[in-house]
Amino acid sequence: MDRLAAMETFVRVVETGSFSEAARHLRVGQPAVSKTVAQLEERLGVKLLLRSTRGLTPTESGQSFYERAKRAIDEADEADLAARGAGASLSGRLRVSAATTFASLHVVPHLPKFLAAHPDLQIEVILDDEKIDLIEEGIDVSLRMGDLADSSLTARRISRARRLVVGAPAYFKHAGVPASPDALAAHETVVYARGAGRDVWTFRKGEAETTVTLNGRVRVSAGEGVRAAVLAGMGVTVASEWMFARELVTGDIRAVLTDWTIAPIDLWAVFPTGRVASAKARAFAAFVEEQLALAPKLAV
């Protein structure tokens, strides 16, 4: 038995909670995964997994083996990279999760460059606006925006963007440009409806501070829908500079009230808790950080 390969299989079974999901992630048949785990249990002489109607859970021995096996796999990857030098190409599989709109605009278009630098690497990008369980889904690194509610997460901030009041030039042509945050009450607004507090914003200018509630007739639960509505001239919205980065530079979208500031939004690279981030995950986070730093930005 290839011990490292067997460890990788067992780790994937624990992280996904089933033989079938582990097989799907590993791109092998389910019988092969079941056989590998059975051989591991036979070699070690202990039961590693408990099987029930709720799925698979590790025994006490299985949990201990999982934690050490995961470290061994990560250290083996690090050893390979160290032996090949700092410029070595990454290999294997990398699973990344990110919000749909952000990844479509700022991650996926740059993947060819990252893959060209690492021809032996495979990337799976899971696009989901919900915060998925990294361990359960076998995610190596997740790109998350905003405040991190869970303080136990292993995370690194890789970028920060301004929040701006934006709208299409055609909308401002017929509705006028708001002269102050309070004037937004008289404007059509497009509200990103996912999560609490999306329609209440605090604006600051020097010592002045005002809080405004957007009373939009259009509420959209996905970022791409907000983009489409604003680009169609349906009203203004408060959005991160990332959401309309290209259009702000080309002039297809205009930022207003730029002498006022709104709390910026952070982008975090989040790694599975309880383990050292893999070299692949760290390299990908650094790559995204670099691409965002190089992207043209609106001067306001």
Side-chain angles (χ1 to χ4, degrees), residues 40-62:
L40 263 178
E41 291 180 324
E42 181 179 358
R43 182 176 68 81
L44 296 172
V46 295
K47 198 73 170 175
L48 296 175
L49 294 171
L50 295 174
R51 299 157 178 81
S52 70
T53 56
R54 292 179 297 176
L56 300 172
T57 57
T59 63
E60 184 177 349
S61 296

Side-chain angles (χ1 to χ4, degrees), residues 9 19-34 36:
T9 298
F19 290 134
S20 58
E21 280 300 297
R24 182 175 65 85
H25 290 166
L26 294 166
R27 292 191 173 88
V28 298
Q30 181 178 334
V33 173
S34 301
T36 297

Side-chain angles (χ1 to χ4, degrees), residues 106 110 242 245 249 290-298:
H106 300 290
H110 297 298
W242 290 318
V249 172
E290 178 185 12
Q291 298 310 304
L292 290 174
L294 293 173
K297 295 178 176 60
L298 176 71

Side-chain angles (χ1 to χ4, degrees), residues 105-116:
L105 293 172
H106 300 290
V107 177
V108 175
H110 297 298
L111 288 183
K113 181 178 179 180
F114 190 70
L115 290 171

